[in-house]
């Protein structure tokens, strides 16, 4: 089996994709391991499918961030408008 070009590496806060040939990070920080994206990058490398997967992972990240912001709001209003 040949060495994979793209691999997921655990970093603080999630996963990043490492490009073994270019010896640099590729893409964004992912909270969950981007298995489907890695399979496509190391396989057929269809640009349309890669773009769709990137959009899907970014939408998931936005949704998690939105839910996190909703939880950070105070439950009770204070006298000074907080």
């Amino acid at each position: 089996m040949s060495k994979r070009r793209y691999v997921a590496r655990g970093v603080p806060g999630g996963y990043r994709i490492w490009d073994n040939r270019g010896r640099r990070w590729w893409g964004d920080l992912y909270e969950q391991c981007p298995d489907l994206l890695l399979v496509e990058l190391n396989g057929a490398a269809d640009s349309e499918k890669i773009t769709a997967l990137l959009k899907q992972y970014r939408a998931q990240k936005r949704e998690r961030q939105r839910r996190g912001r909703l939880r950070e709001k105070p439950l009770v209003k204070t006298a000074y408008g907080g």
Side-chain angles (χ1 to χ4, degrees), residues 40-54:
E40 189 60 33
L41 286 169
N42 288 316
D46 177 21
S47 62
E48 290 180 9
K49 191 167 184 182
I50 291 171
T51 302
L53 288 167
L54 286 172

Side-chain angles (χ1 to χ4, degrees), residues 58-74:
R58 287 180 183 142
Q60 289 174 357
K61 187 175 182 177
R62 278 193 308 271
E63 180 63 26
R64 280 192 204 96
Q65 288 174 343
R66 187 186 66 79
R67 278 190 264 137
R69 282 194 300 265
L70 290 176
R71 276 189 240 123
E72 292 172 2
K73 291 183 179 177

